[in-house]
Amino acid sequence: MIAAPTLAARGVVASPHALASAAGADALRAGGSAVDAAIACAATLGVIYPHMCGIGGDAFWLIYDAKARRVSYLDGGGRAARNATLDRFSDQNEIPFRGVVPATLTTPGAVASFCAAHERHGRLPLARCLQDAIHYARDGYPVTKRLARWIEETKAELAQDPASAALFLRSPGKNPALARTLEAIASDGRAGFYEGEVARQLASLGGFFTQSDLAAQQAYWGEPIRSGYRGVTIYETPAPTQGFTVLEMLNLLEPLELSKREFLGPDHVHLLVQAKQIAYNDRDRWLGDPRFVDIPIEKLLSKSYADERRRLLDPARALPWDKVPSEGSLAGDTVYVAAVDAAGNAASLIFSLYGVFGACVTSAATGVVLQNRGAYFSLDPAHPNRLEPGKVPLHTLIASLAFRDDRLWAVLGCMGADGQPQIHVQTYVAMIDFGLDIQQALSSPRWLSGRFGLGEARDTLHIEARFPPGTIDELERRGHPVDRWGDWNELAGHAHGITVDPVSDLLAGGFDPRSDGAAVGY
């Protein structure tokens, strides 16, 4: 049975852990803004969901200011260290996925973004936003079955790092060193993390980044990207994130009138999968850090370009991978936080360590688990995502906002690496084309196209068994290499969201049943 959405009049927070959503809702009750609530929720997740996120990672935001009627984008991506050059990897084909190399190749960017968002949009003291996270780190938190499972599945890699092994293999559920680091941020803001003792301890791990690299890390405000789909204006995070793929997929699909086709039927899935393949082919050709490479984003988001690319769609047969090749992986762990406050402001926040427990490297003195996002850089000197000092790697992290008649309608996002654009599109199509509410859309059976590991075909179609059997059989007949999941699979991603009723302004919050999450309102 699918749960009903959480209905509330004054504010809602949705995330993959109920305690974190409650921390965000408590910030709203205390008079906080949507940004205050998102920081409270995300900081708490960084403590109690340490396999998926933490302040040693990156974050990207879309923020809606209801009074100004403006959407802003905030880039909290970590920059490559000054000595992170291609010649350091001259004898390698790819950057290692675990260990001190990816842990220190890029600086953590999330804290800088939290402080920048708070400076512009916060109402509560930063210390109040961090109080729940500090409490759980210092006094302890419950280890959920999901966290326990991921600790078990990652134990061989965690065991390679003494600080990670001590924290997660011997005494999970508490991180006093991280509590002290969060207290430093609560007291001194950005400087409490990127300068002083915390920065000195992080730099002492060796590897690439130095205290100077950490001190130079900043968050950057910018403009989001947007496009229209069936009367809805959808905003996504711009490059270096893959947000444009969502908008390109929707541009490809809009003339196909999905609402006239069977919901969860074979055409519904088949056409979305092909739109994904085409958009990801463009992603891999063009996407990188826009401060370093030119990206023809206006062309990629144009309806005329979608008309041109739509000619590749084959309604009868699956598109062969080599016709529209794309790389990447569906493996990756992230949290998404949605928050709307009583004034109608909204925060759409994506926050991640990239891999499960990031690089599996922890700073014992600070309790900070470091990300491995630097492993996403290319070592091909001709690739737009090639490693360069000061550069942000291509990011799978994306966050979204949507508007109807110039009024905020939806706040949406998810975890899932290469799966994120696919989940955005499936959820928007379910709500816009088929009229599902936010909770129904997030609970619907889901598919992901791509591979999790090297042994899988790059165009594998992973699909939950709650799809009609005839749909799955027909997809196989059309040539899709189908991987039949069970009814529910956590690998299908954790997605969460909030919608706003256009007449009553009532908020409806939804969470993903594949997570430990909740939508909490008041």
Side-chain angles (χ1 to χ4, degrees):
M1 181 177 176
I2 302 301
T6 296
L7 301 179
R10 302 185 65 186
V12 172
V13 179
S15 85
H17 198 298
L19 293 179
S21 297
D26 285 346
L28 291 178
R29 288 191 190 94
S33 66
V35 163
D36 290 326
I39 293 171
C41 181
T44 300
L45 285 166
V47 175
I48 67 178
Y49 241 38
H51 56 308
M52 290 198 167
C53 66
I55 60 172
D58 288 349
F60 295 86
W61 299 68
L62 289 182
I63 298 171
Y64 176 59
D65 183 326
K67 185 176 181 180
R69 300 178 64 84
R70 175 179 172 81
V71 177
S72 298
Y73 160 66
L74 183 58
D75 176 343
R79 271 63 184 164
R82 284 184 296 177
N83 62 351
T85 56
L86 284 174
D87 60 4
R88 297 286 296 272
F89 296 91
S90 59
D91 60 343
Q92 300 180 47
N93 294 322
E94 60 183 21
I95 296 168
F97 193 72
R98 303 288 196 190
V100 74
V101 170
T104 61
L105 197 61
T106 62
T107 49
V111 172
S113 80
F114 291 1
C115 294
H118 182 264
E119 181 179 0
R120 182 176 290 191
H121 295 285
R123 294 185 198 141
L124 301 176
L126 184 59
R128 172 61 183 83
C129 298
L130 299 179
Q131 73 174 25
D132 287 87
I134 293 169
H135 158 67
Y136 287 120
R138 183 186 60 234
D139 300 329
Y141 59 89
V143 176
T144 66
K145 289 182 179 179
R146 283 186 173 83
L147 173 54
R149 188 183 79 244
W150 284 113
I151 290 173
E152 176 64 24
E153 293 189 7
T154 321
K155 66 180 180 180
E157 292 155 296
L158 292 169
Q160 299 300 310
D161 177 60
S164 297
L167 188 59
F168 298 115
L169 300 183
R170 291 194 281 278
S171 57
K174 188 180 289 190
N175 191 341
L178 182 58
R180 294 190 292 272
T181 297
L182 290 166
E183 287 171 339
I185 299 168
S187 172
D188 301 326
R190 181 193 166 280
F193 186 80
Y194 293 103
E195 302 171 21
E197 182 61 15
V198 171
R200 189 183 71 79
Q201 291 292 343
L202 292 175
S204 72
L205 291 170
F208 283 85
F209 63 55
T210 64
Q211 285 182 259
S212 296
D213 290 314
L214 291 164
Q217 176 65 36
Q218 300 285 343
Y220 295 90
W221 293 97
E223 295 298 319
I225 54 175
R226 66 180 182 177
S227 187
Y229 179 76
R230 297 198 61 214
V232 178
T233 301
I234 297 172
Y235 288 80
E236 292 283 340
T237 48
T241 83
Q242 61 178 341
F244 87 83
T245 59
V246 175
L247 304 181
E248 183 179 350
M249 289 169 69
L250 291 170
N251 284 344
L252 289 164
L253 294 166
E254 188 171 29
L256 304 181
E257 298 184 296
L258 293 174
S259 62
K260 296 182 179 179
R261 302 170 190 265
E262 178 189 357
F263 179 59
L264 304 182
D267 284 349
H268 178 189
V269 178
H270 178 80
L271 293 170
L272 265 65
V273 169
Q274 294 197 1
K276 171 264 177 181
Q277 290 177 283
I278 294 167
Y280 280 41
N281 176 252
D282 285 331
R283 180 199 69 175
D284 287 2
R285 179 181 178 188
W286 294 108
L287 191 55
D289 186 337
R291 287 167 286 263
F292 288 77
V293 296
D294 292 326
I295 306 166
I297 197 66
E298 289 186 11
K299 173 184 176 182
L300 292 168
L301 294 182
S302 70
K303 302 292 187 180
S304 59
Y305 183 70
D307 292 342
E308 175 188 332
R309 295 289 273 166
R310 196 179 300 109
R311 297 170 191 157
L312 291 168
L313 292 176
D314 185 340
R317 297 294 299 171
L319 278 178
W321 177 85
D322 56 4
K323 188 172 183 178
V324 280
S326 62
E327 306 293 332
S329 170
L330 294 169
D333 290 273
T334 298
V335 299
Y336 171 75
V337 175
V340 177
D341 64 27
N345 305 303
S348 186
L349 168 62
I350 194 82
F351 177 36
S352 180
L353 292 170
Y354 182 33
V356 181
F357 293 104
C360 288
V361 171
T362 302
S363 164
T366 67
V368 174
V369 180
L370 288 162
Q371 66 182 346
N372 58 338
R373 183 62 61 176
Y376 218 96
F377 275 121
S378 172
L379 296 180
D380 178 355
H383 198 283
N385 189 42
R386 63 185 173 273
L387 176 65
E388 296 179 72
K391 191 175 187 178
V392 178
L394 182 161
H395 261 277
T396 54
L397 303 183
I398 55 175
S400 188
L401 294 170
F403 292 75
R404 275 185 160 144
D405 299 321
D406 295 323
R407 292 167 57 90
L408 179 67
W409 170 63
V411 186
L412 178 67
C414 61
M415 62 163 277
D418 270 19
Q420 290 185 45
Q422 304 177 55
I423 298 168
H424 279 220
V425 170
Q426 289 177 69
T427 307
Y428 276 131
V429 165
M431 293 193 293
I432 297 169
D433 289 283
F434 296 101
L436 275 64
D437 67 36
I438 184 66
Q439 190 60 63
Q440 291 170 330
L442 298 174
S443 302
S444 292
R446 194 174 292 157
W447 55 265
L448 291 179
S449 169
R451 70 177 183 180
F452 287 92
L454 295 177
E456 295 175 334
R458 291 190 181 275
D459 55 351
T460 300
L461 180 57
H462 312 270
I463 190 165
E464 289 182 326
R466 290 179 297 127
F467 276 89
T471 292
I472 302 176
D473 291 344
E474 175 61 15
L475 290 167
E476 282 190 315
R477 191 195 67 76
R478 295 186 191 185
H480 293 276
V482 170
D483 172 28
R484 295 175 183 249
W485 279 340
D487 284 353
W488 297 89
N489 195 313
E490 187 179 5
L491 295 177
H494 301 167
H496 316 282
I498 301 167
T499 56
V500 185
D501 186 273
V503 176
S504 67
D505 288 333
L506 190 67
L507 303 173
F511 75 98
D512 202 310
R514 303 165 186 83
S515 73
D516 294 308
V520 179
Y522 84 110

